[in-house]
Amino acid sequence: MAEAVAERGLGPLLAAACRAHEAAFGGPALLAAWAPGRVNLIGEHTDYNGGFVLPMALQLGTVLVGSPTKDETISILTTSAEADKPHLVQFPAPRQGSPLSPRQPRWANYVRGVIQHYRGGPVPGFSAVVASDIPLGGGLSSSAALEVATYTFLQQLCPDDGDLVAKALVCQKAEHTFAGMPCGIMDQFISVMGKEGHALLIDCRSLETVLVPLTDASLAVLITNSNVRHTLTGSEYPMRRRQCEQAAAALGKSSLRDATMADLEVARSSLGEEVYRRARHVISEIARTAQAAQALQDRDYGMFGRLMVESHNSLRDDYEVSCLELDELVAAALEVNGVYGSRMTGGGFGGCTVTLLEAGAAERAQRHIQESYSGTATFYLTKPSGGAKVLPL
Ligand code: GAF
């Protein structure tokens, strides 16, 4: 059954990270920060097309605890499975004068990238421990949470001007330049800006947001991890991005946000069938997301659920980023009485599904999904959380 994320709280994760700091570095952690992962309710592969997304921040997240040091070395220990086992990396602080660049191990590049691009830098020496309860490779933005937790930690060590949008943009830049992943802005943005009890409709072109309440006690959001590990730094994600840019250019638009279905139909034969289908997903998904946010505001969960299913089908058939396991999980969820809708969430190629359902149907749904699924699923029932924060020690 689902982990009771809310009841467990942040305490054990923070305490374990502080103990690990004391053990590894021989002194207490004096500063701590936390940043959440996210689940996207709808609006997939629209962010890098200037479109709408509707994510919520999770109660699952990443903590980074640490202390300033006298020397100009940065030492970071991760206890999360990101590195398979506890793993220490050390490198000279940028304040020493030499810029950081991506290196092995890969997990540390999210931290290095944020340190390098930090707006309050150059960053001095410090010791730190990273710990996380976000399932890795589950498509719930463990990497964005690590970037945003790192930035929030640095804000205490050497404060910047506190601009939150700029913070999300720096974390995205770290991912582009140090992890080689040309992601959109959704994951870092929601990890910074999440609001308790709300999903956030983000216009990824203007970066304006609308808070959409998600506090109805009769409603639940169930995340199901297929436990098929998703990796997005391969060629598929960048290729989808390029295809979208190609379609927008052929339509004479700066992004697919500005294109209509009618524009697309006119250009169909010149685009080629595959690029046409990629663009059809994006244009229809942007419209669906705006409509879904309205449906959620209106508490029209039936409509929201139908749009989730359309989104999944479009990601599966037109954008081709689903996989058999995700399709199985969605099909099983939709067989349960009390389920409004279900879809793959995040980048795809594995990871999680998200299901909107009556709270009273949650246990039944988990049982049925697990029984129907050919693999082993893991479930999370989580309420929308706030964004990144400093933790008092
Ligand atoms: C990944 C990316 F990091 C996001 O920017 C977004 O494009 C998402 O895939 C798909 O909606 O999480």
Side-chain angles (χ1 to χ4, degrees):
M1 287 299 119
E3 271 192 46
V5 175
E7 283 134 50
R8 198 181 60 225
L10 241 176
L13 191 66
L14 180 62
C18 288
R19 277 195 307 274
H21 188 277
E22 184 98 40
F25 303 113
L30 302 175
L31 309 169
W34 175 85
R38 64 97 188 93
V39 67
N40 190 19
L41 300 177
I42 194 164
E44 222 63 83
H45 290 277
T46 49
D47 58 353
Y48 52 83
N49 289 294
F52 295 111
V53 293
L54 187 64
M56 64 180 225
L58 300 178
Q59 291 162 314
L60 300 165
T62 296
V63 294
L64 200 140
V65 305
S67 290
T69 51
K70 295 218 169 60
D71 63 3
E72 292 294 322
T73 300
I74 295 175
S75 307
I76 302 171
L77 178 81
T78 181
T79 62
S80 76
E82 208 126 27
D84 293 328
K85 54 181 189 306
H87 192 250
L88 177 71
V89 294
Q90 292 189 298
F91 48 92
R95 199 165 70 179
Q96 262 213 327
S98 39
L100 303 181
S101 54
R103 297 275 163 88
Q104 289 298 326
R106 277 174 38 80
W107 70 265
N109 283 332
Y110 301 109
V111 179
R112 279 181 205 270
V114 172
I115 293 173
Q116 178 58 32
H117 297 306
Y118 181 60
R119 298 173 65 254
V123 174
F126 67 90
S127 57
V129 169
V130 175
S132 184
D133 56 9
I134 306 174
L136 299 168
L140 300 179
S141 282
S142 53
S143 39
L146 177 54
E147 290 150 8
V148 174
T150 302
Y151 197 107
T152 310
F153 175 84
L154 295 180
Q155 285 177 298
Q156 299 167 76
L157 195 68
C158 43
D160 69 347
D161 61 8
D163 182 326
L164 294 182
V165 171
K167 173 175 175 176
L169 289 168
V170 162
C171 292
Q172 181 195 27
K173 183 171 171 188
E175 181 127 0
H176 286 189
T177 55
F178 276 65
M181 160 63 176
C183 60
I185 188 61
M186 167 170 68
D187 301 350
Q188 293 79 9
F189 201 88
I190 185 68
S191 185
V192 171
M193 307 285 187
K195 287 276 175 297
E196 211 176 313
H198 294 81
L200 198 62
L201 179 68
I202 307 168
D203 178 336
C204 297
R205 181 168 59 184
S206 65
L207 296 184
E208 281 163 8
T209 57
V210 177
L211 283 170
V212 183
L214 203 55
T215 45
D216 186 338
S218 71
L219 196 69
V221 175
L222 176 68
I223 297 168
T224 306
N225 191 350
S226 66
N227 287 309
V228 174
R229 213 173 156 117
H230 99 144
T231 39
L232 283 184
T233 43
S235 61
E236 296 284 0
Y237 188 96
M239 194 204 289
R240 295 295 184 287
R241 254 199 105 136
R242 273 198 306 278
Q243 289 176 320
C244 291
E245 283 155 13
Q246 192 188 327
L251 298 177
K253 310 286 182 189
S254 58
S255 78
L256 286 179
R257 168 70 182 274
D258 300 318
T260 63
M261 281 296 184
D263 297 329
L264 186 64
E265 290 307 325
V266 171
R268 182 169 188 163
S269 57
S270 67
L271 286 175
E273 199 54 22
E274 189 172 292
V275 172
Y276 164 79
R277 283 191 289 111
R278 303 296 189 242
R280 184 167 66 181
H281 163 71
V282 171
I283 296 170
S284 63
E285 184 79 351
I286 291 172
R288 266 192 295 277
T289 305
Q291 219 188 327
Q294 189 57 54
L296 203 53
Q297 299 266 25
D298 298 343
R299 299 192 171 202
D300 186 347
Y301 306 135
M303 168 65 83
F304 193 93
R306 284 191 290 282
L307 293 164
M308 288 176 91
V309 175
E310 280 178 26
S311 166
H312 182 78
N313 293 344
S314 174
L315 288 157
R316 182 192 60 204
D317 301 336
D318 274 355
Y319 219 61
E320 295 182 280
V321 292
S322 187
C323 62
L324 287 177
E325 292 84 350
L326 291 172
D327 296 344
E328 254 183 44
L329 291 173
V330 167
L334 294 176
E335 285 164 2
V336 178
N337 224 335
V339 165
Y340 295 111
S342 185
R343 57 183 287 279
M344 58 153 278
T345 183
F349 307 108
C352 292
T353 62
V354 58
T355 301
L356 190 77
L357 73 175
E358 287 168 7
E363 286 213 357
R364 192 165 65 237
Q366 290 169 66
R367 251 195 319 273
H368 180 73
I369 293 170
Q370 187 58 84
E371 278 163 19
S372 317
Y373 183 44
S374 56
T376 304
T378 315
F379 299 95
Y380 300 91
L381 274 170
T382 160
K383 304 259 177 258
S385 134
K389 57 187 176 190
V390 165
L391 301 174
L393 284 180

